[in-house]
Amino acid sequence: MTDIEIANTIQLKPIGEIAAKLGIDSDMLEFYGKYKAKLPLSLIDENRLREKHLILVSAISPTPAGEGKTTVSIGLTEGLNRIGKKTTVVLREPSLGPVFGIKGGATGGGYSQVLPMEDINLHFTGDFNAVEKAHNLLAALIDNNIQSKTTSLGIDPRTVTWKRVMDMNDRSLRHIIVGLGGTASGIPRETGFDITAASEVMAILCLSEDFADLKERLGNIFIGYTYDKQPIYARDLKANGAMAALLKEAIKPNLVQTIEGNPAIIHGGPFANIAQGTNSIIATKMGLSLSDFVVTEAGFGFDLGAEKFFDIKCVKAGLSPSAVVLVATVRALKYHGGVKMDALKEENKEALRKGMENLEKHVENMKKFNICPIVALNRFATDTDAEIELIADKCRQLEVPMEVADVWAQGGKGAEKLARLTAKVAEQCVCRLHPLYDWNWSIEKKVETIAKEIYGAAAIDYTSQAKNDLKKIISLGLDKLPVCIAKTQKSLSDNPKLLGRPKDFIVTVRQIEIASGAGFVIPITGDIMRMPGLPDSPSAERIDVDKEGHISGLF
Amino acid sequence: MTDIEIANTIQLKPIGEIAAKLGIDSDMLEFYGKYKAKLPLSLIDENRLREKHLILVSAISPTPAGEGKTTVSIGLTEGLNRIGKKTTVVLREPSLGPVFGIKGGATGGGYSQVLPMEDINLHFTGDFNAVEKAHNLLAALIDNNIQSKTTSLGIDPRTVTWKRVMDMNDRSLRHIIVGLGGTASGIPRETGFDITAASEVMAILCLSEDFADLKERLGNIFIGYTYDKQPIYARDLKANGAMAALLKEAIKPNLVQTIEGNPAIIHGGPFANIAQGTNSIIATKMGLSLSDFVVTEAGFGFDLGAEKFFDIKCVKAGLSPSAVVLVATVRALKYHGGVKMDALKEENKEALRKGMENLEKHVENMKKFNICPIVALNRFATDTDAEIELIADKCRQLEVPMEVADVWAQGGKGAEKLARLTAKVAEQCVCRLHPLYDWNWSIEKKVETIAKEIYGAAAIDYTSQAKNDLKKIISLGLDKLPVCIAKTQKSLSDNPKLLGRPKDFIVTVRQIEIASGAGFVIPITGDIMRMPGLPDSPSAERIDVDKEGHISGLF
């Protein structure tokens, strides 16, 4: 059965029942249909966060199909609830780009899903759209100010770094020229679109603590310079009030349910390869306020999502996880050992042995943050016992606790052992997160530390544009911000073709974008694009809806 | 008090109470917060439509600030309910473009508003976003197919007419070049963005009868030609299933309330200057299924919205209004008599007398459709009795019943007289709508009939591009579709500077766009743009939100 077919067999509970499990009165909910609701920010209780257990789920370097990090997060949540731990899963919102592209939605899979999956994967409660509109309103105000005769701030159109965004995989929008067609239609200039998940407004939404913080951060967005080289921020265009108004609902986390009827809070949707890759601080804190355990995820591999989770989000919000679960799969490790995508179903111990160096590096990386690590093997039906035993051996050798989870096929039942291990590790954990770097270091030192320590790079190369960007960042006084590196998820390096555990490679920083509102800078490495493209045969072609409005083809 | 300040003084009823007035059980609603809900299509009862009264509200040629057509529609609805007629107002959804631009929202004004106004004017229930995403998914699939090596349909990029859309006044996006940046980022070609209100997907949503109809129409969208000159439709790209999936909630009408707690159904948002300018057929039929009177509106002046309402929507859906209310204002008539915007508050009978030729022409136009006409004078505080008497005289002379409505200041109380007149006219009306033209006529004859009969043009001129477009339309077999003319709303002519009742002018058809999915073609006249721009001092600068999330500056 496909994911949506499985989802359709489930009898959903009214969302008020799910809220009741968290002690929330129905009157506090803003319903979006019968099975989705927004939660008021007043449910956050800052005083209770430290008593609770935050479990981060991350992963080894994934195959293009993903390794089931979200699926394990959901299954583990079901498992923890099964063993009596009051647990909420806190996830990111899916982007339409992958839904219509190749990777599919982001609501788990099999018997470990959050529901209603078709709503969550399509427009959900409109948060992505609100981010997109707030972002593009600023863009329109910039070009309008450049065009204006009476209210001009003197913005030099050649210096404008603020692009537009669209929640779509649309490569043709990466590099465009706008403002053609004569004097009535703007000033021609080069610009482009990023995907909405990469929007600084999305990052701001995810890193804001409350409404006042949101508005101030929106005002701090850097957009370019005047002709006399003065920096211009969104507040100079009086844009942040209207942008915040567009986000007044989006700032509230969304409550849905898992297949087994446990609470799921889903909020914010930055990717981890091109953005900070984790749900909002508000959602995480709300989960911790309302239940004893929160399972959350950080996108793509540990090198991307988890590093940013620790060094940006946890530092900013004062969070420290009680356990960190690294998801590995037999098939991804074989892939890292050189097996092609279409042959991953066959047993191949030799490739597995070779590919396990990827796992080894990620486990080493985990230990650098002073957290309590676990490896979860996300079981696929084609995995053999011999393959699983090889991985168990490796984990014993690495001295990291490991458990197999069969969450796709069995839901929470398949995660009970993992849940027991996780609860034990979390409850015994006395570690306090140690960030990899100090925000006060120079940008170069921060980048070098991540690239050498986490990616395993030998050296860093800056293009001349990146060097200019560095100078600009220093002159703007923004060099004490953390770095949110954009890098391919397919490799530990910045070259998607280097699988396994690449060594002796150079990371190339192509440019450095400023996200002064979000509060970080974005060194862009290798050929990573902040606007993806569709594959030759996009999933969109197979998505359909019957005359009663039932959707098929979503996964 | 501003509109939002007035709105904030109103104690809203739970939306279930409003639904109960229409005989709808709460279980059938999909709530969006406490005060908005989507209605299932099953509430439409085709057998009961003919028994009910459909009241269309249109207007004379407006000033740039609008003449309160929506405000009168809402006030009239309150008035009809006050005199015991079970009435629902059925309106369009606001676009963000005017909200952040100059005209403001589209939820009425003063004491005649639909609520919650800030939600309806911002993202509402996400319908505009769904339309935008469905539209832009098709665009991404087109450019992806052009880029593809293995699945190419051989589309000639120079022939692609499908643009992208964004719900924003953003003139810089009118004419753009996409696909720059090398082989990985698409094929460079000229294209542009229209505002979402002008999207063919919006038109399709508004003209579809049900889900199956919607999907088929989406498949019929024409997008361009192959290199060997074969037409390509959305169905050739297998786009319509996913597009329909994106619209699965947007197809359902939205229920909200008026200030006096009467039901308002708001659904679909095409502008009338650049699109068909009226809410969805589904919403209109649902209103008629659920109450005895439906008050609805057709955008901008009668020459635009009402003509399209009659010749496209009513013909397609088999509707015929029982009464048509033409909204006039003293200030707009003075404006047509030559008074500048900043002097409209002063009495000026001479200018008013001159400007009334605009009213006269619209009344003449009303009579061409064999409907029962009424003139409603939307009173402003600065109107003098002498001015109002002049208009009353003119209406007596034109033999059209007229009533003054003071809906901004007094709400339904100020519309009771208008409500009595409207109810009487509607209940006594024995006319059946007579469309202006036969869909089977040639495109030229249809355009000529509208331009000469309604606009008052002396002749029609086609540019060479428009002539080529005509040939293309004929070769595609689409010349029997109705015409949805894009024209400025500021004048009866296609020249926004010709106020009053222009004569001896030539209408220039610049190009003709194909909307084969919606089922019409769009002759674009004069300099009208399908993507507006922001003014020098956009409303966005004055919109703000406090730390509790309360919005100010919306109107």
Side-chain angles (χ1 to χ4, degrees):
Chain A
M1 285 213 285
T2 65
D3 289 347
I4 180 126
E5 285 164 359
I6 290 170
N8 286 338
T9 65
I10 306 298
Q11 179 72 42
L12 290 179
K13 296 191 172 80
I15 196 65
E17 278 186 36
I18 305 299
K21 287 193 178 190
L22 297 173
I24 306 170
D25 194 273
S26 261
D27 279 355
M28 299 197 75
L29 301 178
E30 283 185 38
F31 290 90
Y32 281 68
K34 295 181 174 62
Y35 308 112
K36 296 164 282 175
K38 281 205 168 269
L39 301 172
L41 301 195
S42 58
L43 292 171
I44 296 174
D45 181 353
E46 293 278 351
N47 298 320
R48 300 196 55 202
L49 309 181
R50 285 262 184 153
E51 308 157 18
K52 312 301 186 64
H53 292 295
L54 177 62
I55 314 293
L56 176 70
V57 177
S58 192
I60 60 167
S61 303
T63 69
E67 296 327 299
K69 188 168 23 64
T70 307
T71 309
V72 169
S73 299
I74 298 164
L76 174 57
T77 299
E78 313 279 40
L80 284 163
N81 277 294
R82 278 170 178 257
I83 65 167
K85 305 294 180 188
K86 194 177 158 188
T87 307
T88 298
V89 64
V90 181
L91 301 170
R92 284 171 302 154
E93 302 181 43
S95 156
L96 287 175
V99 166
F100 295 129
I102 191 165
K103 192 164 181 284
T107 49
Y111 286 89
S112 290
Q113 296 188 53
V114 284
L115 305 174
M117 77 86 95
E118 67 277 29
D119 290 4
I120 302 171
N121 279 317
L122 295 175
H123 312 292
F124 202 20
T125 56
D127 296 344
F128 260 74
N129 174 50
V131 166
E132 189 169 307
K133 287 298 178 295
H135 185 118
N136 291 336
L137 172 62
L138 177 55
L141 290 170
I142 292 168
D143 275 306
N144 188 58
N145 191 272
I146 292 172
Q147 171 86 350
S148 165
K149 289 185 199 85
T150 61
T151 56
S152 169
L153 295 171
I155 298 169
D156 181 347
R158 301 164 303 178
T159 67
V160 173
T161 50
W162 190 252
K163 299 198 278 185
R164 288 172 177 81
V165 295
M166 187 185 287
D167 189 26
M168 194 68 69
N169 284 6
D170 194 346
R171 69 170 70 73
S172 289
L173 293 178
R174 280 176 196 153
H175 302 286
I176 69 175
I177 295 174
V178 298
L180 300 171
T183 53
S185 297
I187 308 283
R189 66 179 185 88
E190 289 178 69
T191 181
F193 277 76
D194 290 333
I195 193 162
T196 305
S199 165
E200 183 177 350
V201 177
M202 180 65 86
I204 289 172
L205 185 78
C206 289
L207 291 170
S208 293
E209 301 272 351
D210 56 33
F211 222 89
D213 190 21
L214 176 81
K215 203 166 89 178
E216 187 180 339
R217 285 167 175 271
L218 291 169
N220 289 341
I221 293 171
F222 169 80
I223 65 102
Y225 292 97
T226 61
Y227 279 106
D228 47 7
K229 305 210 175 357
Q230 297 305 305
I232 296 285
Y233 298 90
R235 58 178 176 266
D236 299 321
L237 287 153
K238 301 186 199 107
N240 45 329
M243 292 171 77
L246 283 167
L247 296 168
K248 84 178 174 69
E249 299 304 316
I251 198 174
K252 301 173 190 165
N254 307 290
L255 180 67
V256 291
Q257 65 192 281
T258 64
I259 280 188
E260 298 182 12
N262 290 309
I265 295 178
I266 305 195
H267 193 221
F271 293 160
N273 50 356
I274 53 176
Q276 85 272 32
T278 172
N279 59 74
S280 71
I281 287 177
I282 286 173
T284 303
K285 287 191 171 177
M286 192 171 289
L288 289 169
S289 301
L290 297 168
S291 52
D292 299 324
F293 280 72
V294 160
V295 178
T296 191
E297 51 158 3
F300 293 116
F302 186 93
D303 51 324
L304 287 164
E307 184 273 314
K308 294 166 183 173
F309 183 87
F310 296 142
D311 287 322
I312 300 175
K313 178 173 176 173
C314 286
V315 171
K316 164 82 175 63
L319 298 168
S320 182
S322 306
V324 178
V325 178
L326 186 78
V327 176
T329 61
V330 170
R331 56 182 219 139
L333 292 173
K334 286 190 285 195
Y335 179 75
H336 284 291
V339 179
K340 298 287 168 214
M341 282 296 283
D342 54 7
L344 292 175
K345 291 180 179 172
E346 294 153 33
E347 185 179 87
N348 188 333
K349 287 190 279 186
E350 193 182 353
L352 180 58
R353 253 185 224 106
K354 184 165 181 311
M356 279 197 300
E357 61 181 13
N358 184 270
L359 171 65
E360 191 168 358
K361 174 60 176 156
H362 284 291
V363 170
E364 286 175 20
N365 286 345
M366 289 170 89
K367 294 182 176 172
K368 295 182 182 184
F369 289 92
N370 195 42
I371 47 82
C372 300
I374 297 168
V375 169
L377 185 76
N378 182 23
R379 180 161 203 159
F380 280 63
T382 50
D383 297 353
T384 67
D385 290 344
E387 288 175 324
I388 292 172
E389 196 43 45
L390 270 182
I391 297 172
D393 275 347
K394 172 61 79 176
C395 289
R396 277 188 288 269
Q397 182 193 324
L398 296 170
E399 295 182 341
V400 59
M402 178 272 205
E403 195 56 80
V404 179
D406 188 11
V407 291
W408 198 98
Q410 297 191 60
K413 187 161 175 287
E416 284 183 21
K417 281 187 189 167
L418 176 63
R420 279 196 200 93
L421 173 63
T422 304
K424 191 179 116 194
V425 168
E427 284 163 353
Q428 292 177 351
C429 180
V430 290
C431 299
R432 184 89 199 156
L433 173 71
H434 192 284
L436 192 72
Y437 61 82
D438 185 329
W439 288 13
N440 284 317
W441 293 354
S442 70
I443 302 282
E444 293 102 314
K445 185 171 175 187
K446 285 179 275 200
V447 171
E448 185 181 6
T449 303
I450 297 168
K452 289 189 174 171
E453 295 270 326
I454 302 296
Y455 307 160
I460 324 296
D461 187 32
Y462 289 80
T463 64
S464 61
Q465 185 187 336
K467 285 177 191 161
N468 283 333
D469 292 339
L470 264 179
K471 280 183 208 155
K472 189 164 98 174
I473 288 163
I474 293 168
S475 79
L476 290 167
L478 300 173
D479 52 320
K480 304 304 179 203
L481 294 176
V483 294
C484 181
I485 298 179
K487 181 183 79 69
T488 179
Q489 71 275 20
K490 293 179 181 167
S491 169
L492 276 156
S493 78
D494 62 345
N495 176 353
K497 292 188 179 143
L498 302 181
L499 302 182
R501 181 180 184 159
K503 284 177 183 160
D504 301 324
F505 61 90
I506 292 171
V507 166
T508 305
V509 177
R510 198 172 81 219
Q511 62 179 113
I512 310 180
E513 291 196 359
I514 294 170
S516 49
F520 52 66
V521 298
I522 308 166
I524 301 179
T525 67
D527 295 324
I528 186 79
M529 298 286 185
R530 296 191 8 114
M531 169 56 97
L534 289 169
D536 274 7
S537 174
S539 300
E541 295 179 353
R542 292 173 290 280
I543 294 172
D544 204 357
V545 58
D546 67 17
K547 62 182 193 233
E548 270 77 47
H550 300 127
I551 290 180
S552 56
L554 277 181
F555 65 98
Chain B
M1 285 213 286
T2 66
D3 289 347
I4 181 123
E5 284 166 357
I6 290 169
N8 285 339
T9 65
I10 307 298
Q11 178 72 42
L12 290 178
K13 295 191 172 81
I15 196 64
E17 276 186 38
I18 306 298
K21 285 193 178 189
L22 297 173
I24 306 169
D25 194 272
S26 261
D27 278 356
M28 301 197 74
L29 301 178
E30 284 185 38
F31 291 90
Y32 281 67
K34 295 181 173 62
Y35 308 112
K36 296 165 281 176
K38 282 206 169 268
L39 301 172
L41 301 195
S42 58
L43 291 172
I44 295 174
D45 182 352
E46 293 279 349
N47 298 320
R48 300 195 54 203
L49 308 181
R50 285 264 185 152
E51 309 156 18
K52 311 303 187 62
H53 292 295
L54 177 62
I55 315 294
L56 176 71
V57 176
S58 191
I60 61 168
S61 304
T63 69
E67 295 328 299
K69 187 168 24 61
T70 307
T71 309
V72 169
S73 299
I74 297 164
L76 175 57
T77 299
E78 314 278 39
L80 284 163
N81 277 295
R82 278 169 178 257
I83 65 166
K85 306 294 181 187
K86 195 178 157 188
T87 307
T88 299
V89 65
V90 181
L91 301 171
R92 286 171 299 153
E93 303 180 43
S95 156
L96 287 176
V99 166
F100 295 129
I102 190 164
K103 193 165 179 283
T107 49
Y111 285 90
S112 290
Q113 296 188 53
V114 283
L115 304 174
M117 78 84 96
E118 66 277 29
D119 289 4
I120 302 171
N121 278 319
L122 296 175
H123 311 293
F124 201 21
T125 58
D127 297 344
F128 260 74
N129 174 49
V131 165
E132 189 169 306
K133 287 297 178 296
H135 186 117
N136 292 336
L137 173 61
L138 177 55
L141 290 169
I142 292 168
D143 276 306
N144 189 56
N145 190 273
I146 292 172
Q147 170 88 348
S148 166
K149 289 186 199 85
T150 62
T151 57
S152 168
L153 295 170
I155 298 168
D156 180 347
R158 299 164 304 178
T159 68
V160 173
T161 51
W162 191 253
K163 298 198 278 186
R164 288 171 176 83
V165 294
M166 187 185 286
D167 189 27
M168 195 66 69
N169 284 7
D170 194 347
R171 70 171 69 75
S172 289
L173 292 178
R174 280 177 196 152
H175 303 286
I176 68 174
I177 296 175
V178 297
L180 299 172
T183 54
S185 297
I187 308 283
R189 66 180 186 87
E190 289 179 69
T191 183
F193 276 76
D194 290 333
I195 193 162
T196 305
S199 165
E200 184 177 351
V201 178
M202 180 65 87
I204 289 173
L205 185 79
C206 288
L207 291 168
S208 293
E209 301 272 352
D210 55 33
F211 222 90
D213 190 22
L214 175 81
K215 202 166 89 177
E216 186 179 341
R217 285 168 176 271
L218 291 170
N220 289 341
I221 292 171
F222 169 80
I223 65 104
Y225 292 97
T226 61
Y227 278 106
D228 47 7
K229 304 207 175 4
Q230 298 304 304
I232 296 284
Y233 299 90
R235 58 178 176 266
D236 300 321
L237 287 153
K238 302 189 198 106
N240 47 328
M243 291 171 76
L246 283 167
L247 296 168
K248 85 178 173 69
E249 299 303 317
I251 198 174
K252 300 173 191 166
N254 308 291
L255 180 67
V256 291
Q257 64 192 283
T258 64
I259 279 188
E260 297 183 12
N262 291 308
I265 294 178
I266 305 194
H267 193 222
F271 292 161
N273 51 356
I274 53 176
Q276 84 271 31
T278 171
N279 59 74
S280 72
I281 287 177
I282 285 172
T284 304
K285 287 189 171 177
M286 192 170 289
L288 290 169
S289 302
L290 297 169
S291 52
D292 298 324
F293 281 72
V294 160
V295 177
T296 190
E297 53 158 2
F300 293 116
F302 186 93
D303 51 325
L304 287 164
E307 184 273 314
K308 295 167 183 173
F309 183 87
F310 296 143
D311 288 322
I312 301 175
K313 178 173 177 173
C314 287
V315 171
K316 164 80 176 62
L319 298 169
S320 182
S322 305
V324 178
V325 178
L326 186 78
V327 176
T329 61
V330 169
R331 57 182 218 140
L333 292 172
K334 286 190 285 195
Y335 179 75
H336 284 291
V339 178
K340 298 288 168 211
M341 283 296 282
D342 54 7
L344 291 176
K345 291 180 178 172
E346 295 153 35
E347 184 179 89
N348 189 332
K349 286 191 280 185
E350 193 182 355
L352 180 58
R353 255 186 223 104
K354 184 166 181 310
M356 280 198 298
E357 62 180 12
N358 184 272
L359 172 66
E360 191 168 0
K361 174 59 176 158
H362 284 292
V363 171
E364 285 175 22
N365 287 345
M366 290 171 89
K367 294 182 176 171
K368 294 181 182 183
F369 288 91
N370 195 42
I371 46 82
C372 300
I374 297 168
V375 169
L377 185 77
N378 182 24
R379 179 159 204 164
F380 279 64
T382 50
D383 298 352
T384 67
D385 290 344
E387 288 175 324
I388 292 173
E389 196 42 47
L390 269 182
I391 297 172
D393 276 347
K394 172 61 80 175
C395 290
R396 277 189 286 272
Q397 182 193 326
L398 295 170
E399 296 183 339
V400 58
M402 178 272 205
E403 195 56 78
V404 179
D406 188 11
V407 291
W408 198 97
Q410 296 193 60
K413 185 158 175 290
E416 283 185 22
K417 282 186 188 169
L418 176 64
R420 280 196 198 91
L421 172 63
T422 304
K424 191 179 116 191
V425 168
E427 281 163 354
Q428 291 178 353
C429 179
V430 291
C431 299
R432 183 90 198 151
L433 173 72
H434 192 284
L436 192 73
Y437 61 82
D438 185 329
W439 287 14
N440 284 316
W441 294 354
S442 70
I443 301 283
E444 293 101 313
K445 186 172 174 187
K446 286 179 277 203
V447 171
E448 186 181 6
T449 303
I450 297 167
K452 289 189 173 171
E453 295 270 327
I454 302 296
Y455 307 161
I460 324 297
D461 187 32
Y462 288 81
T463 65
S464 62
Q465 185 188 338
K467 285 177 191 162
N468 284 333
D469 291 339
L470 264 179
K471 282 184 205 152
K472 189 165 99 173
I473 288 164
I474 292 168
S475 77
L476 290 167
L478 299 173
D479 52 319
K480 304 304 180 202
L481 294 177
V483 295
C484 182
I485 298 179
K487 181 183 79 69
T488 179
Q489 71 276 18
K490 293 180 181 168
S491 169
L492 277 156
S493 77
D494 63 345
N495 176 353
K497 292 188 180 145
L498 302 181
L499 301 183
R501 180 179 185 160
K503 284 176 182 162
D504 301 323
F505 61 89
I506 293 172
V507 165
T508 304
V509 177
R510 198 172 82 216
Q511 63 179 112
I512 311 180
E513 291 196 359
I514 294 170
S516 49
F520 53 64
V521 298
I522 308 164
I524 301 179
T525 68
D527 295 324
I528 185 81
M529 298 284 184
R530 295 188 13 109
M531 170 56 95
L534 289 170
D536 273 7
S537 174
S539 300
E541 295 179 354
R542 292 173 290 281
I543 294 172
D544 204 357
V545 59
D546 67 18
K547 62 182 192 232
E548 270 77 47
H550 299 126
I551 289 181
S552 56
L554 276 181
F555 65 96

